[in-house]
Amino acid sequence: LTGILVLLALVALAGCDEGNPSPPPDPALAASLHARLDGDRTGACVAAAVIDAETRRAVVCAGSRSLGPSTAFEIGSISKTMTAFLLADLIEAGALSLEDPLAMHLPPGTEVPTFDGAPITLAHVVTHTAGLPPLPPRMVIRDVEDPYADLTEEVLLDSLADVTLVEAPGTTWAYSNFGFMLLSYVIATTAGEGFEDRLRTRLFEPLGMNQAFVDDLTRGRNLIDLPTLQRELGAWGAQAEQLADG
């Protein structure tokens, strides 16, 4: 379910392309970061840049860890902006419209809630005004360190049947990972390719984001170890299957 899980902390970004080595760190900026991080028990790392007449960079970690040009970081819900971009891209191509009801792009028979006949549209989903809960109601979390491991397409879609809208879509803003899971599903199925493939061809490659990835762990990345989770793969749901292969 690559198209679903990407919204929940799977996209990772590395520092720069291996072919373009990083410039040496700026001593003054590094000293400022050390003053903030030294002794921090979280093991946090910070990559910072000051962009002015010239760009100064520094990377500092609390503790003994170090970062390099190919170290990847999970970026979490920043990936929602990427999903919104892919939606806009498909709208520009004429494949989708913000006014489209969500149900129009889900499998036949999917029970999608309405309020007094008013449907949830893609505009509602992308703006967090659909009235959907934060997570799919039928989602079962067996491992808090990998909460989406057991989430399937069936659970995602069937969860809509458990949602009762208390007001018309578009009335109230309420942050919803569930909504963006559904939106990424719509994007992948409409595009006819996996979500990561779509991100790569429409966003990563045009912008030179050559080390960004979702589930593709075969690209030689150095995934930053998160000490509080100890996740070997550094990405939730790494066993997710590819969605919408044609």
Side-chain angles (χ1 to χ4, degrees), residues 11 47 86 161 169 187 234:
V11 176
L86 292 183
I187 290 169

Side-chain angles (χ1 to χ4, degrees), residues 71-238:
T71 302
F73 294 83
E74 292 182 29
I75 65 169
S77 286
I78 294 174
S79 57
K80 286 185 173 67
T81 61
M82 300 180 181
T83 304
F85 165 80
L86 292 183
L87 173 63
D89 187 51
L90 287 170
I91 290 172
E92 187 174 61
L96 294 173
S97 168
L98 285 175
E99 288 71 40
D100 286 350
L102 173 63
M104 176 180 173
H105 300 288
L106 300 180
T110 303
E111 296 184 43
V112 182
T114 61
F115 185 84
D116 289 343
I120 295 172
T121 67
L122 298 186
H124 297 138
V125 177
V126 76
T127 58
H128 294 284
T129 60
L132 296 172
L135 294 172
R138 299 190 187 186
M139 175 178 162
V140 176
I141 300 176
R142 292 186 172 87
D143 182 358
V144 294
E145 294 185 0
D146 194 0
Y148 306 104
D150 297 321
L151 181 61
T152 64
E153 178 180 319
E154 180 180 10
V155 169
L156 176 76
L157 298 177
D158 288 351
S159 289
L160 283 166
D162 296 342
V163 176
T164 299
L165 300 183
V166 297
E167 57 189 356
T171 303
T172 302
W173 186 92
Y175 193 86
S176 177
N177 283 326
F178 184 20
F180 265 74
M181 294 177 198
L182 293 165
L183 185 58
S184 61
Y185 173 92
V186 169
I187 290 169
T189 53
T190 301
E193 60 183 329
F195 198 89
E196 180 163 11
D197 294 333
R198 191 70 179 177
L199 276 172
R200 188 165 307 287
T201 58
R202 302 301 295 170
L203 186 65
F204 294 163
E205 290 178 355
L207 294 179
M209 299 168 64
N210 300 318
Q211 296 195 71
F213 67 95
V214 182
D215 278 336
D216 184 0
L217 303 177
T218 64
R219 300 173 63 83
R221 304 297 178 252
N222 171 27
L223 296 173
I224 189 70
D225 176 41
L226 303 181
T228 59
L229 299 182
Q230 295 295 310
R231 295 199 306 270
E232 180 181 356
L233 295 179
W236 290 342

Side-chain angles (χ1 to χ4, degrees), residues 1-28:
L1 288 175
T2 301
I4 295 169
L5 300 178
V6 62
L7 283 309
L8 301 164
L10 295 190
V11 176
L13 300 180
C16 66
D17 198 344
E18 288 92 337
N20 298 292
S22 298
D26 179 81

